[in-house]
Amino acid sequence: MEQTGRAEARTADEATTDATAADEATTDATAAGVAPPRLVGPVLRGMDADLAQAVIAAVETDNPGQEVHVVDRGGYIRVHTVGRCRLTQASLEAELGQAFPLSRLEPALGAFAGRMSITDDEITWYLARQED
């Protein structure tokens, strides 16, 4: 996906295509005897569309070189990357064009994949235990 500052709105068909591709990749990897990629990141629910798109764009910015998997299931949106997913307050605020403390996202984080580490200015989802 080309980076344009703001993520383009994704249609239900695109989300279904992303979900189907992810399912096929998992099936192919399993059939080949290879472990499927381990995706981590937030599952957003009850969030307005502009904020959800800003989160997606910020995750794309904060995870250069990583493919960002977005699956919109209507009631929730999965935003994942392989192994480690980072979201910074600076990137989110740049996308929104206004101040936005990350603590305001917590009610919309219905779930997440992986482990989660939160600071005042960054949320990181990851697989392996991080050493302090």
Side-chain angles (χ1 to χ4, degrees):
M1 170 187 302
E2 182 178 336
Q3 296 238 232
T4 59
R6 287 195 57 93
E8 295 177 20
R10 298 170 198 271
T11 66
D13 288 340
E14 289 172 322
T16 301
T17 300
D18 286 351
T20 301
D23 291 343
E24 288 172 358
T26 299
T27 302
D28 292 346
T30 303
V34 176
R38 300 287 307 267
L39 300 177
V40 297
V43 177
L44 310 169
R45 65 172 171 72
M47 178 180 287
D48 94 348
D50 290 337
L51 181 55
Q53 289 302 318
V55 168
I56 293 165
V59 167
E60 290 171 342
T61 298
D62 290 332
N63 297 277
Q66 285 240 46
E67 183 177 353
V68 176
H69 302 269
V70 176
V71 179
D72 186 350
R73 298 286 190 200
Y76 63 91
I77 301 170
R78 293 183 179 275
V79 183
H80 292 134
T81 60
V82 175
R84 183 173 185 273
C85 182
R86 183 172 173 245
L87 172 64
T88 64
Q89 182 175 351
S91 292
L92 184 56
E93 288 178 344
E95 292 298 329
L96 290 170
Q98 65 182 7
F100 193 90
L102 289 179
S103 60
R104 286 185 47 200
L105 278 182
E106 289 181 37
L109 294 177
F112 57 90
R115 296 175 184 231
M116 184 170 66
S117 171
I118 302 174
T119 66
D120 288 341
D121 59 354
E122 182 175 313
I123 303 174
T124 304
W125 294 268
Y126 57 95
L127 285 177
R129 171 175 259 135
Q130 292 182 334
E131 299 300 323
D132 293 329

